[in-house]
Amino acid sequence: DNIPTEETLTAADTCGTASVAFSENTAAGLCAGAYTITRTWTATDECSNETIHVQTITVEDNGVPTFNEALPGNITVACDNIPTEETLTAADTCGTASVSFAESTAAGVCDGDSVITRTWTATDQCSNETVHIQTIMVQDITEPIWDLLPSDLTVNCQMDYQAAYDTWLTSFSGTDNCSTATLTYAAPTTVSCPDNVEVTFELTDACGNETIATATFVVEGTLHISDVFENDLVLFPNPTEKHIYIKGLKEDSRMEVFNIAGQKVLTRTISNRKRIDFDLNSGLYMVKITSGYKTTIKKLIIR
């Protein structure tokens, strides 16, 4: 980018006048920005006597290309907020330049941490390079979140409360934006009737971020009802698959069905000896029947 303009030369002759002719040619080099210019001035008098001067200009491309855009700087981000790589272009004073991109990731101290290295290399036609490197520190500083938040559960002594307790302890879960969330808790192995157990649940990710929730499991010793008419009611068929009948109802009543974890899965208005259809998974269920002021609980097996 510093090639001089050719000189304008004149000549004199002792026997008359002289004129000067100029010519120039270029010989290619190893790359587009490197070549040789040969300039020739020829002074000729009126009798064709000549004096020649030759200038050789060796042109080199030793300047590096430059990036056109603002260059991305080093940053620290959360694992779910990693930016997309920038698209950079470059220019060169002696020709064109191209830009290549490379990225590598190094593991951090935990699954949610890492170091991303992004490298842009601008190269001109004579292999001069300009390199820009961006370092992205990725950190997991966000607590996991509950998908199913721990909640209180009350069962009674007529249910399989130990199985309900075991299911309840492992029924809560969560997710993390950077890694896997693990559920832990400190709780007694068994429960009795009656019982009241408060459990602290911890949801922890791979980088030690945690979310804590507390819930209580209660086993009631009584049904808290005014009257029980256990012997008056019959569920049939039992076991069953898709339907049952209830015999012994004196009036229209209400039926609530609970799974082994104590979760209500069905509520239905019922009448004496009237078919009750449902679609439940196989397993053991507790059926709470309320008729007027009377309540009882029956076991139901779905095949």
Side-chain angles (χ1 to χ4, degrees):
D1 58 355
N2 196 31
I3 299 171
T5 303
E6 67 274 8
E7 299 285 346
T8 300
L9 301 182
T10 61
D13 186 67
T14 56
C15 296
T17 61
S19 61
V20 179
F22 172 78
S23 65
E24 177 180 288
N25 63 71
T26 301
L30 297 177
C31 58
Y35 49 90
T36 301
I37 300 174
T38 302
R39 290 176 174 174
T40 304
W41 290 263
T42 302
T44 307
D45 66 14
E46 294 174 289
C47 290
S48 300
N49 299 302
E50 292 181 344
T51 299
I52 298 175
H53 175 70
V54 177
Q55 178 192 37
T56 301
I57 302 175
T58 301
V59 181
E60 298 177 346
D61 181 2
N62 49 25
V64 296
T66 57
F67 289 101
N68 296 321
E69 296 80 16
L71 300 179
N74 298 336
I75 54 175
T76 298
V77 298
C79 63
D80 57 354
N81 196 33
I82 300 171
T84 304
E85 66 273 9
E86 300 283 347
T87 299
L88 300 182
T89 60
D92 187 65
T93 55
C94 295
T96 60
S98 59
V99 178
S100 62
F101 173 77
E103 178 178 288
S104 64
T105 301
V109 295
C110 58
D111 285 350
D113 290 352
S114 61
V115 179
I116 299 174
T117 302
R118 291 176 172 174
T119 304
W120 292 263
T121 302
T123 307
D124 67 14
Q125 293 169 296
C126 288
S127 300
N128 299 300
E129 291 182 347
T130 299
V131 177
H132 176 69
I133 298 175
Q134 178 191 36
T135 300
I136 302 175
M137 304 295 296
V138 181
Q139 296 182 347
D140 181 4
I141 56 175
T142 304
E143 298 84 1
I145 59 174
W146 294 102
D147 295 330
L148 186 59
L149 181 68
S151 58
D152 299 341
L153 179 62
T154 299
V155 299
N156 58 68
C157 293
Q158 292 190 21
M159 300 177 65
D160 188 348
Y161 52 83
Q162 182 60 49
Y165 176 68
D166 294 339
T167 302
W168 177 75
L169 285 176
T170 58
S171 62
F172 310 112
S173 61
T175 54
D176 185 65
N177 60 341
C178 298
S179 59
T180 301
T182 303
L183 176 69
T184 58
Y185 51 83
T189 304
T190 59
V191 290
S192 56
C193 182
D195 210 341
N196 188 308
V197 180
E198 184 178 85
V199 179
T200 298
F201 297 88
E202 293 185 6
L203 197 61
T204 308
D205 66 17
C207 289
N209 302 300
E210 65 178 13
T211 301
I212 297 176
T214 301
T216 302
F217 186 86
V218 177
V219 183
E220 291 184 338
T222 63
L223 294 175
H224 297 294
I225 57 175
S226 59
D227 192 17
V228 176
F229 54 115
E230 174 76 23
N231 295 327
D232 296 339
L233 298 181
V234 177
L235 266 67
F236 65 95
N238 190 10
T240 185
E241 292 184 359
K242 298 292 184 181
H243 71 278
I244 58 171
Y245 298 88
I246 299 179
K247 180 180 70 174
L249 295 171
K250 305 301 182 183
E251 55 186 306
D252 287 345
S253 306
R254 185 164 61 94
M255 176 183 77
E256 297 172 282
V257 180
F258 298 84
N259 62 21
I260 197 171
Q263 299 168 320
K264 186 188 297 184
V265 296
L266 179 67
T267 300
R268 191 72 56 82
T269 299
I270 55 176
S271 300
N272 191 52
R273 292 181 177 270
K274 185 176 180 180
R275 180 183 172 116
I276 304 168
D277 293 302
F278 45 73
D279 185 11
L280 298 173
N281 295 328
S282 60
L284 175 64
Y285 293 84
M286 298 297 169
V287 180
K288 180 180 179 181
I289 303 170
T290 302
S291 184
Y293 295 103
K294 299 180 180 180
T295 301
T296 188
I297 293 179
K298 299 283 188 178
K299 290 184 179 181
L300 175 64
I301 298 175
I302 306 296
R303 293 183 297 199

